[in-house]
Amino acid sequence: MSYHWNWQIFWEPSPLGTGTYMDLLLSGLWWTVMTSLTAWVLGLVVGSLVGIARTLPYRPLQVLAAAYVELFRNIPLLVQLFLWYFVLPELVPASLGLWLKQSPGASFYSASVGLGLFTSSRIAEQVRAAIAALPRGQALAGKALGLTLPQTYRYVLLPVAYRIILPPLT
């Protein structure tokens, strides 16, 4: 078999009249990278907070964080994206819902939030597991130094925990 590829198609004008097919591909690549980076940052921040909340000695926070993780991990991603894009604008007040439906970046925002929160539940489990994997003496050392619980997490536990979760995080 011999194929004859027409590579010139990339430089032909697109039917939308917005440039060439290559311009459309590069625009799609740009939006894909921006959506994934936005979702990753949102997932890292929310996932870290939820993962930390799962390891705190306060039972109500543990229960809320566990419920968050179970909710977002057990609903398929495609269903979550559908809910964020089609259902959320109907549940919020009418003016906000209209803005969500008609804004030019509606698909970008809903995709970024949906992907970010879905990813945050996985990151939360990684953070929780990394903190739980640390030797008990690390937290006790922070307490012995007179550090408060937030200081112990910030200066002692989290730097080591993030080193543990760096490989699976990538």
Side-chain angles (χ1 to χ4, degrees):
M1 272 203 267
S2 107
Y3 291 113
H4 177 66
W5 298 99
N6 181 12
W7 295 104
Q8 297 302 319
I9 191 79
F10 292 117
W11 288 271
E12 291 181 9
S14 74
L16 301 175
T18 57
T20 63
Y21 284 108
M22 183 59 78
D23 294 335
L24 287 176
L25 285 172
L26 292 176
S27 173
L29 176 66
W30 169 255
W31 282 109
T32 301
V33 169
M34 290 309 298
T35 303
S36 62
L37 287 177
T38 304
W40 187 79
V41 168
L42 177 67
L44 186 64
V45 170
V46 173
S48 295
L49 293 174
V50 172
I52 291 168
R54 289 201 66 185
T55 62
L56 290 175
Y58 308 113
R59 187 76 180 142
L61 275 179
Q62 288 178 355
V63 170
L64 283 174
Y68 174 87
V69 168
E70 291 301 319
L71 177 73
F72 281 98
R73 285 191 72 154
N74 290 321
I75 298 175
L77 176 60
L78 191 57
V79 173
Q80 286 186 36
L81 291 175
F82 180 83
L83 291 172
W84 284 108
Y85 189 74
F86 291 111
V87 177
L88 180 69
E90 303 300 327
L91 296 177
V92 296
S95 60
L96 181 60
L98 192 61
W99 178 81
L100 283 172
K101 289 187 262 186
Q102 293 180 350
S103 72
S107 57
F108 171 75
Y109 298 131
S110 62
S112 296
V113 168
L115 288 170
L117 294 180
F118 181 78
T119 305
S120 71
S121 62
R122 181 182 56 84
I123 293 173
E125 282 299 295
Q126 291 173 345
V127 169
R128 181 200 56 81
I131 291 172
L134 295 177
R136 189 168 168 244
Q138 296 237 346
L140 294 177
K143 194 178 218 181
L145 287 171
L147 299 176
T148 64
L149 187 63
Q151 289 174 329
T152 302
Y153 270 87
R154 181 175 179 202
Y155 297 117
V156 179
L157 300 177
L158 288 179
V160 180
Y162 281 120
R163 289 169 78 195
I164 292 172
I165 67 167
L166 187 62
L169 192 61
T170 58

